[in-house]
């Protein structure tokens, strides 16, 4: 009962995670690899655990667009190409419905609490290891 109330309260998820290395920093991520999971993303959450985020996995490399509809947490997003290279990093504002574009083709997007990439010295051109294969169509 307490766990159910905690999950419904919008606290950090207890969903399974996989480990990534972003630049040289470890990060545990939940995976969103189907259309419904990607659409839900981090909406309605009140917080993320330290060094945790969400990895969005797509079936191909193309320009991606994200927005912050129903998202309470200030986030940073890194767009990552199929070779694991970060091609763009941006900060996003809670509830902002304007899109944030990858500018270059990306197969993955990683969302973390705003400032995580800066705090860990991660910049465009850094590599991400531990990425799963592309999502199914």
């Amino acid at each position: 009962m307490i766990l159910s109330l905690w999950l419904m309260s919008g606290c950090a998820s207890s969903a399974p995670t996989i480990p990534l290395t972003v630049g040289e920093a470890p990060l545990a991520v939940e995976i969103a690899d189907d259309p419904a999971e990607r659409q839900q993303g981090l909406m309605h959450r009140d917080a993320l655990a330290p060094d945790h985020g969400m990895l969005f996995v797509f079936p191909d490399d193309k320009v991606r667009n994200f927005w912050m509809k129903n998202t309470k947490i200030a986030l940073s997003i890194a767009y990552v190409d199929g070779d694991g290279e970060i091609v763009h990093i941006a900060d996003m504002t809670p509830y902002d419905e304007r899109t944030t574009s990858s500018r270059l083709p990306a197969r993955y997007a990683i969302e973390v609490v705003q400032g995580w990439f800066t705090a860990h010295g991660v910049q465009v051109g850094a590599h991400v290891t531990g990425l799963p294969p592309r999502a199914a169509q």
Side-chain angles (χ1 to χ4, degrees):
M1 175 70 169
I2 292 174
L3 177 60
S4 298
L5 291 173
W6 179 74
L7 290 173
M8 292 187 318
S9 73
C11 292
S13 172
S14 62
T17 61
I18 65 163
L20 297 180
T21 302
V22 181
E24 296 189 19
L27 180 68
V29 293
E30 297 173 42
I31 298 177
D33 62 357
D34 69 40
E37 291 170 341
R38 290 190 298 258
Q39 182 176 355
Q40 178 65 32
L42 293 171
M43 287 183 182
H44 308 293
R45 304 257 185 112
D46 292 320
L48 280 173
D51 296 318
H52 279 69
M54 182 167 280
L55 174 68
F56 296 82
V57 182
F58 295 92
D60 55 6
D61 286 38
K62 69 180 194 178
V63 172
R64 304 287 171 197
N65 295 292
F66 277 64
W67 65 350
M68 295 286 286
K69 182 178 180 179
N70 298 320
T71 305
K72 301 175 183 182
I73 308 165
L75 298 173
S76 294
I77 188 167
Y79 293 101
V80 182
D81 70 16
D83 294 325
E85 182 177 337
I86 296 175
V87 297
H88 184 67
I89 296 174
D91 289 335
M92 299 188 300
T93 304
Y95 301 106
D96 189 352
E97 294 189 17
R98 293 174 294 169
T99 59
T100 300
S101 170
S102 64
R103 299 182 185 166
L104 295 172
R107 180 168 302 164
Y108 306 95
I110 301 170
E111 289 183 339
V112 293
V113 293
Q114 196 169 98
W116 188 92
F117 297 112
T118 300
H120 291 84
V122 175
Q123 299 177 2
V124 170
H127 282 272
V128 180
T129 57
L131 292 166
R134 65 184 185 166
Q137 298 278 0

